[in-house]
């Protein structure tokens, strides 16, 4: 994604910093037995606001451990399903 979206690091940096400070962002993802949140954020390279921006999906594993599940551009991919999230987490746990 970095090749296509040159500003991705600066776009997602504020979200990472907020999570590091213990702030929970975004909306809870339903249909998954984990504590999963999805954050929408603007993509400076797309210039179309949050609706065509990035989606960051993260998992709160413990009070001190948050795992970035995936990040994708909404203009490149539709929503990630609960099944896809489960598969990513199962792969991570191995």
């Amino acid at each position: 994604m970095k090749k296509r979206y040159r500003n991705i690091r600066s776009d997602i940096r504020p979200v990472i910093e907020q999570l590091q400070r213990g702030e929970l962002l975004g909306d809870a993802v339903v249909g998954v037995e984990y504590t999963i949140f999805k954050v929408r954020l603007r993509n400076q390279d797309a210039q179309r606001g949050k609706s065509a921006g990035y989606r960051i999906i993260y998992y709160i594993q413990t009070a001190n451990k948050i795992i970035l599940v995936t990040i994708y551009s909404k203009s490149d991919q539709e929503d990630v399903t609960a099944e896809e999230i489960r598969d990513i987490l199962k792969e991570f746990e191995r």
Side-chain angles (χ1 to χ4, degrees), residues 38-77:
K38 177 168 62 173
V39 179
R40 296 170 35 158
L41 67 144
R42 185 175 174 273
N43 177 345
Q44 289 182 58
D45 297 306
Q47 308 247 343
R48 294 189 313 211
K50 286 184 181 180
S51 63
Y54 300 112
R55 301 299 185 267
I56 295 176
I57 298 178
Y58 67 94
Y59 163 45
I60 302 176
Q61 189 174 37
T62 67
N64 298 320
K65 189 172 185 180
I66 294 176
I67 298 168
L68 178 63
V69 175
T70 190
I71 180 171
Y72 61 96
S73 172
K74 186 65 176 178
S75 59
D76 294 339
Q77 178 180 340

Side-chain angles (χ1 to χ4, degrees), residues 28-43:
V29 175
V30 295
V32 183
E33 52 279 349
Y34 303 98
T35 308
I36 303 284
F37 288 89
K38 177 168 62 173
V39 179
R40 296 170 35 158
L41 67 144
R42 185 175 174 273
N43 177 345

